[in-house]
Amino acid sequence: MPKIQTKLKLYRTQRGMTQEELAQQLNVTRQTINAIEQGKYQPTLHLAYNCAKLFDVRIEDIFTFID
């Protein structure tokens, strides 16, 4: 399975959001946000889409595949 590089923390901190605040907006746990930011968990397509929609960017702006 390919790895995913994430800029979620960058987008979150640019908005001045905590992990908890982002988790509440996305209807997931803070632990999920933490795991995604640390590269320990790959988000579902649905969650990746919701992240992109929240930050008004493309999914590829936040999540990219690493070969």
Side-chain angles (χ1 to χ4, degrees), residues 50-64:
N50 287 340
C51 288
K53 187 175 174 184
L54 178 69
F55 293 116
D56 195 29
V57 296
R58 299 173 307 147
I59 291 174
E60 307 92 271
D61 294 332
I62 301 176
F63 302 104
T64 54

Side-chain angles (χ1 to χ4, degrees), residues 17-38:
M17 298 174 78
T18 65
Q19 287 183 343
E20 183 65 37
E21 290 168 337
L22 179 57
Q24 288 175 0
Q25 295 240 357
L26 296 172
N27 202 29
V28 298
T29 65
R30 185 200 57 78
Q31 290 84 354
T32 298
I33 299 301
N34 186 50
I36 293 170
E37 288 183 356
Q38 291 186 9

Side-chain angles (χ1 to χ4, degrees), residues 1-5 64-67:
M1 177 179 254
K3 290 276 192 182
I4 293 180
Q5 182 178 18
T64 54
F65 284 107
I66 301 172
D67 291 329

